[in-house]
Amino acid sequence: MIVVAKSPSHRKKIRHFHEPGHFHELTFSCYRRLPLLTNDDWRARLCKYIDTAGQKTSMELVAFVLMPEHVHLLVLPLTNSQTGNIPDYLSRLKEPFSKEIKRLLVQANSPLLKRLTVRERPGKTCFRFWQEGPGFDRNLYSPAAIQASLDYIHNNPVQRGLCRRAVDWKWSSARYYLLEPPRQQFPDLPHIHGFRPEALERGDGS
């Protein structure tokens, strides 16, 4: 099998911390920022894992967008643990999805399988759908910061020229918030919990 040699790198280390009531803006990318999330079937499968991971880790999804090469999520942990279950949530979301995509590529004998096979060391390879590392995790607790995150997430496809209006991009929560009447979503998208009334009643901060 032809493999892609993994270049030496220093993995980013992020210490996830959580305070009750904090939202988390999470970002993670496909391997080498390849545009792997352009297949509607794969995107729908990822949405299911987003739901499953949230159910298993007491995590409410507030907003999201699936871009061709990365994902943005705005989540609210319902746990009081020091990490908010963020590491477990990301693991339960990313790992089973990656395994399922590998299975599909093997079944299809796809050449993409070789591109995503990484040599970790002599004699050992692994399949990698996601870029290594924990990605980005930002704690948010003020109404201004939460609203700014929501706007940023929904405007990503517009800024990239993928659509004219945020609500025209199917793979986000924009329709839930911006259409009239609100809370409109396609059935193959993850469940959006929206905002709890008390979430936007705090003082300024980030």
Side-chain angles (χ1 to χ4, degrees):
M1 175 182 291
I2 299 174
V3 298
V4 178
K6 180 178 146 184
S7 58
S9 63
H10 297 283
R11 183 182 298 184
K12 292 189 299 182
K13 293 183 182 295
I14 291 181
R15 183 176 67 87
H16 299 280
F17 70 93
H18 177 65
E19 294 288 342
H22 280 200
F23 290 72
H24 291 255
E25 181 186 304
L26 306 175
T27 302
F28 48 94
S29 301
C30 299
Y31 178 61
R32 292 187 173 179
R33 290 189 65 85
L34 293 171
L36 300 177
L37 289 173
T38 57
N39 179 311
D40 281 354
D41 176 63
W42 290 11
R43 290 189 280 208
R45 291 171 187 266
L46 179 57
C47 288
K48 292 180 180 178
Y49 283 111
I50 292 174
D51 273 340
T52 301
Q55 293 164 5
K56 292 182 177 179
T57 59
S58 299
M59 193 78 62
E60 289 191 348
L61 181 68
V62 178
F64 82 98
V65 65
L66 306 186
M67 298 293 286
E69 69 293 301
H70 68 277
V71 176
H72 291 295
L73 306 175
L74 181 62
V75 299
L76 176 64
L78 301 183
T79 175
N80 291 330
S81 72
Q82 290 185 340
T83 64
N85 282 351
I86 296 294
D88 189 28
Y89 173 69
L90 291 174
S91 176
R92 289 177 178 272
L93 189 168
K94 295 163 70 174
E95 291 181 11
F97 173 75
S98 180
K99 290 178 180 178
E100 181 166 354
I101 297 305
K102 179 182 178 181
R103 177 181 59 80
L104 294 173
L105 293 177
V106 170
Q107 289 178 349
N109 195 25
S110 170
L112 183 58
L113 181 65
K114 295 181 179 180
R115 293 189 65 190
L116 301 181
T117 300
V118 179
R119 184 169 60 230
E120 293 190 315
R121 61 177 182 270
K124 180 175 175 56
T125 62
C126 72
F127 177 81
R128 195 174 300 288
F129 187 92
W130 303 109
Q131 185 64 28
E132 272 192 292
F136 179 80
D137 176 7
R138 180 186 176 202
N139 290 52
L140 306 171
Y141 57 88
S142 78
I146 295 167
Q147 185 63 55
S149 175
L150 195 72
D151 294 340
Y152 171 76
I153 287 172
H154 291 156
N155 283 323
N156 248 241
V158 178
Q159 294 296 322
R160 284 279 299 276
L162 298 175
C163 58
R164 188 173 63 86
R165 303 177 304 161
V167 294
D168 295 332
W169 185 251
K170 172 182 177 178
W171 303 97
S172 86
S173 50
R175 295 169 60 87
Y176 181 93
Y177 291 100
L178 302 177
L179 284 185
E180 290 294 340
R183 300 189 178 185
Q184 297 187 41
Q185 278 288 74
F186 292 100
D188 51 352
L189 298 185
H191 177 70
I192 302 298
H193 291 268
F195 289 105
R196 292 171 176 248
E198 66 274 15
L200 300 180
E201 298 176 356
R202 303 186 180 93
D204 290 338
S206 61

